[in-house]
């Protein structure tokens, strides 16, 4: 009987590993946000951002990343927070969505990588009163809560 119990426990661990997703936890202001690691192409230090005229205010401009021109968006401005304060901890996270060009998201800092199982994520509504939510859910981790970013809504240009 003890052998069967061990087998069941290891099967539960395998099932949990299949439902678990790794997230990069980033800081924006006093909040922690998780970005699904499968969409992250690169994390780079702040380099020279070239301004582009007549774009949405949350677009900071473009950078040259190994010969590729990548648009950079301020996550703070997109979420209607205060303007960015660039520090040594500030980073640009290069996001590569399925079949789309890369886009950079400016964050205050990159904190760590966490693994959160699907059972530990409380799903959020995608929109409330017609206002899109940038959060797809809230994950429970040892140190507290991490808001999971809905990258499709954040990157969407329909405004």
């Amino acid at each position: 009987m003890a052998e069967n119990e061990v087998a069941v426990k290891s099967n539960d661990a395998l099932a949990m590993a299949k439902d678990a997703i790794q997230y990069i936890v980033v800081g924006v202001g006093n909040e922690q946000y998780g970005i699904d690691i499968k969409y992250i192409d690169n994390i780079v230090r702040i380099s020279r951002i070239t301004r582009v005229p007549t774009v949405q205010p949350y677009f900071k401009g473009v950078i040259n990343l190994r010969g590729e021109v990548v648009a950079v968006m301020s996550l703070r401005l997109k979420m209607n927070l205060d303007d960015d304060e660039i520090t040594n901890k500030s980073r640009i996270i290069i996001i590569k969505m399925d079949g789309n060009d890369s886009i950079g998201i400016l964050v205050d800092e990159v904190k760590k990588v966490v693994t959160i199982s699907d059972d530990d994520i409380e799903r959020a509504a995608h929109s409330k009163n017609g206002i899109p939510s940038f959060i797809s859910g809230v994950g429970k981790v040892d140190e507290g809560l991490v808001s999971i970013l809905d990258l499709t809504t954040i990157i969407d240009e329909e405004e």
Side-chain angles (χ1 to χ4, degrees), residues 91-108:
R91 297 289 184 269
I92 299 173
I93 300 185
I94 309 299
I95 303 293
K96 184 81 168 175
M97 300 293 284
D98 300 327
N100 292 328
D101 291 335
S102 297
I103 187 164
I105 297 179
L106 180 61
V107 298
D108 294 347

Side-chain angles (χ1 to χ4, degrees), residues 1 3 9-10 18 50 52 107 112 119 130-131 152 154:
M1 188 105 166
E3 289 177 31
K9 287 180 183 175
S10 62
K18 289 179 185 175
T50 304
V52 177
V107 298
K112 60 188 167 195
D119 293 339
I131 299 169
T152 305
I154 290 172

